[in-house]
Amino acid sequence: MGLFDFLSDKGEKKPVAPAANPVPAANTDFFGNTNQAATTAGDSYTVVSGDSLSKIAKHHYGDAAKWHQIYDANKATIGANPDHIEVGQVLTLPKL
């Protein structure tokens, strides 16, 4: 392709109209990923390595200080020590 190959003798062409943007689901971001901040009552979360209640709260609610709500909803699963959650535990994330 040469330097002037973009020139044409066909005259001015109108640009192609962009395709209609599909409306994303209410709980997805620009890329179609599920938005975890839009949690609903009874959502569950499986603990992974490196998690803490404050990290989970920050990720799901946008505020690490809301870890108390997660702990209160999961006392039977977590036990008396909110700092001791185990990988694989399934926690209920209450709607705030």
Side-chain angles (χ1 to χ4, degrees):
M1 182 171 228
L3 181 62
F4 295 104
D5 286 344
F6 66 93
L7 295 176
S8 170
D9 61 347
K10 295 184 171 101
E12 187 177 331
K13 291 185 179 180
K14 293 183 179 180
V16 177
N21 292 336
V23 177
N27 64 343
T28 58
D29 64 10
F30 177 78
F31 300 104
N33 300 321
T34 302
N35 181 0
Q36 295 299 325
T39 57
T40 59
D43 277 355
S44 62
Y45 177 80
T46 304
V47 177
V48 296
S49 180
D51 271 345
S52 66
L53 292 180
S54 60
K55 284 182 185 178
I56 296 168
K58 174 71 174 172
H59 180 73
H60 289 277
Y61 303 127
D63 184 1
K66 295 187 179 187
W67 69 268
H68 292 279
Q69 285 85 347
I70 297 173
Y71 177 62
D72 290 340
N74 293 283
K75 280 185 180 179
T77 303
I78 296 171
N81 185 356
D83 291 327
H84 184 72
I85 59 175
E86 297 179 9
V87 173
Q89 280 181 322
V90 178
L91 305 177
T92 300
L93 301 176
K95 182 176 169 108
L96 302 180

